[in-house]
Amino acid sequence: MAFELKNTVPWGRNLDEYRRMFKLTDSDLNKRIISFGDGPASFNYEMTMLSKSVVSIDPIYQFSKNDLKIRIKETKDIVIEQTKNNLQNFVWTKIKNINELEQIRLSAMENFLQDFENGKKESRYINHEMPNKTDFDNLTFDLALSSHFLILYSQLGLEFHISSLTEMLRVAKEIRIFPILNLDAKKSELPDNLIRHFEKDFIVTIEKVDYEFQKDGNEMLTIKRN
Ligand SMILES: C[S@@+](CC[C@H](N)C(=O)[O-])C[C@H]1O[C@@H](n2cnc3c(N)ncnc32)[C@H](O)[C@@H]1O
């Protein structure tokens, strides 16, 4: 089935959030990083400003800046309304209220939009749909990330996840996935099934992180080579 922009909900986070979600140390920031399902996050833009190396992967990068801008505008009110209707599912300590949430997300997505065309020319934003194999050679990257895509979209199923994580582990030495809850803020069977599958050949851990917006969403899954 063709990937359609009207079925996506573009919503992007920033570098400070990525640092906390993935426990990124100063030394991690100097690694060659690939980020899957990176969407309209400002992680790539902000890292590039710091002369760091990030490649972002997402099928929404096939669309034009203007199409993405329109889709972000269309979905912003819906996401804000949904969050307002489920305030109790979120932790309002670091982000204090809905207005601050809206401002942080819009600012990240504006930075992404400004960077998008340039980043595409520099092959920092690559149109690619998982779980398909990417064009990268084995171990091109030190670290592969997935924020609010894999595991969160548990409806994509176990096979989709096994194939996607296998591809991530082919191109990177280590992968980190945050959060390990699904869209209903519940822990599905998926993380346990993935752990069972990958722990035969890799070192698999679940770590607490200093980021919690979705209630109880403060853990990341890491998979490393033995
Ligand atoms: C909720 S957004 C998260 C964006 C960003 N990682 C962040 O945390 O701010 C989820 C992203 O996953 C992307 N996505 C959905 N299906 C995908 C697929 N099959 N392969 C790669 N990315 C996908 C969507 O296009 C969207 O940009």
Side-chain angles (χ1 to χ4, degrees):
M1 201 170 48
F3 187 90
E4 293 191 59
L5 189 56
K6 69 174 165 57
N7 296 331
T8 67
V9 182
W11 202 231
R13 291 162 189 81
N14 61 31
L15 171 59
D16 173 59
E17 294 183 287
Y18 270 63
R19 284 192 78 142
R20 289 185 291 116
M21 291 187 288
F22 295 114
K23 274 194 170 173
L24 296 174
T25 60
D26 288 347
S27 135
D28 287 333
L29 295 184
N30 289 324
K31 292 178 174 170
R32 291 163 305 165
I33 300 178
I34 181 164
S35 191
F36 289 84
D38 224 22
S42 61
F43 176 60
N44 191 318
Y45 161 75
E46 291 183 75
M47 287 286 279
T48 304
M49 288 293 105
L50 297 172
S51 306
K52 312 291 185 193
S53 160
V54 177
V55 170
S56 298
I57 301 291
D58 202 299
I60 68 165
Y61 301 151
Q62 68 192 271
F63 303 106
S64 69
K65 174 181 172 181
N66 200 40
D67 287 345
L68 292 175
K69 196 173 175 176
I70 291 168
R71 186 66 194 148
I72 287 171
K73 205 157 175 257
E74 278 170 2
T75 49
K76 191 243 338 168
D77 290 337
I78 301 169
V79 179
I80 291 292
E81 195 55 34
Q82 280 170 351
T83 312
K84 265 190 198 157
N85 292 337
N86 293 285
L87 287 177
Q88 72 288 352
N89 290 345
F90 299 93
V91 176
W92 300 98
T93 45
K94 184 89 180 163
I95 298 177
K96 300 269 179 306
N97 52 48
I98 285 277
N99 288 346
E100 200 176 315
L101 175 70
E102 181 171 338
Q103 182 258 314
I104 290 172
R105 292 284 171 275
L106 288 183
S107 156
M109 292 190 284
E110 186 51 39
N111 282 333
F112 159 78
L113 284 172
Q114 292 311 322
D115 185 45
F116 180 56
E117 279 163 353
N118 211 18
K120 234 173 144 169
K121 278 188 215 129
E122 293 170 356
S123 303
R124 289 188 286 109
Y125 295 112
I126 295 182
N127 162 29
H128 178 81
E129 188 170 354
M130 296 303 279
N132 300 331
K133 201 164 176 276
T134 62
D135 289 336
F136 296 107
D137 290 337
N138 292 352
L139 301 180
T140 302
F141 300 93
D142 301 306
L143 190 56
L145 307 176
S146 159
S147 156
H148 294 85
F149 161 45
L150 293 166
I151 299 187
L152 182 73
Y153 291 2
S154 58
Q155 72 278 9
L156 293 170
L158 183 60
E159 282 314 309
F160 179 100
H161 279 81
I162 290 178
S163 305
S164 298
L165 268 59
T166 301
E167 174 59 7
M168 289 167 80
L169 283 162
R170 183 185 70 77
V171 300
K173 292 180 194 153
E174 176 187 344
I175 70 180
R176 300 184 193 177
I177 298 178
F178 179 93
I180 58 170
L181 300 178
N182 64 20
L183 284 168
D184 297 324
K186 302 252 162 49
K187 202 160 177 177
S188 66
E189 296 164 358
L190 191 56
D192 285 343
N193 287 331
L194 291 172
I195 291 169
R196 255 194 300 279
H197 179 89
F198 285 99
E199 72 186 355
K200 288 178 250 147
D201 299 311
F202 297 92
I203 302 167
V204 183
T205 50
I206 290 191
E207 289 182 41
K208 275 234 155 33
V209 300
D210 175 30
Y211 184 96
E212 185 180 1
F213 184 52
Q214 233 186 348
K215 213 168 256 176
D216 298 327
N218 59 353
E219 292 178 319
M220 74 167 168
L221 175 70
T222 74
I223 309 183
K224 287 181 204 169
R225 262 148 223 290
N226 273 311

